[in-house]
Amino acid sequence: MVVDSLSDGTRIAQLLASEVTGHEDAFSVLSVVDADADVEPTDDGALAYAVAADGERVAEVYVQPDRARVEFIAHPDVTAEAASEAGLRVRPKAVRPPRTLVFVEDGAQVKWTLPAFRALVAALDAGDREE
């Protein structure tokens, strides 16, 4: 029997980490930090790892039993627009400072997150040029 989709939150998060670290040119400023190799998914989401740029957290990845959730800390508006245009389910998180939640519900959707990370890198780069 062929499995048509991957809906294991931990595995989805692992695939996402591989994509972020595997695109050295596009995401060279990003790194996966504070990874919990033994993370167990929870209904609310358990922190699997963070994504950092220049030592600052710009996103966090949480695992739930059937999906992963990316919380973009930096440039939430830019990442929300890019993720939404890619077809991912997106919603704001009403905290200070605000965040954007992006739900990755299938292994194939991991590739759909890449435009959001590209938009994040572009916004970070634009911010560096403005300083």
Side-chain angles (χ1 to χ4, degrees):
M1 181 173 167
V2 175
V3 176
D4 292 327
S5 65
L6 171 65
S7 61
D8 175 287
T10 303
R11 185 67 185 126
I12 292 169
Q14 291 168 342
L15 290 171
L16 180 57
S18 294
E19 288 293 330
V20 170
T21 59
H23 285 81
E24 294 298 327
D25 293 337
F27 304 139
S28 62
V29 299
L30 302 179
S31 58
V32 172
V33 297
D34 302 326
D36 181 354
D38 299 321
V39 67
E40 291 292 328
T42 64
D43 289 339
D44 292 333
L47 179 63
Y49 56 87
V51 177
D54 297 323
E56 294 288 323
R57 281 186 181 204
V58 294
E60 295 174 339
V61 177
Y62 294 83
V63 293
Q64 294 172 275
D66 59 346
R67 66 184 176 196
R69 179 180 80 239
V70 182
E71 292 193 12
F72 286 98
I73 300 165
H75 303 284
D77 293 340
V78 171
T79 54
E81 183 178 341
S84 182
E85 287 176 2
L88 292 167
R89 191 162 61 95
V90 176
R91 76 173 175 84
K93 185 173 184 180
V95 295
R96 292 276 178 228
R99 292 181 176 203
T100 290
L101 306 182
V102 176
F103 298 92
V104 187
E105 299 175 351
D106 185 278
Q109 290 182 347
V110 167
K111 293 277 190 195
W112 299 3
T113 66
L114 299 183
F117 280 100
R118 282 189 197 96
L120 172 63
V121 168
L124 291 169
D125 185 46
D128 287 345
R129 286 194 306 264
E130 291 173 4
E131 292 176 1

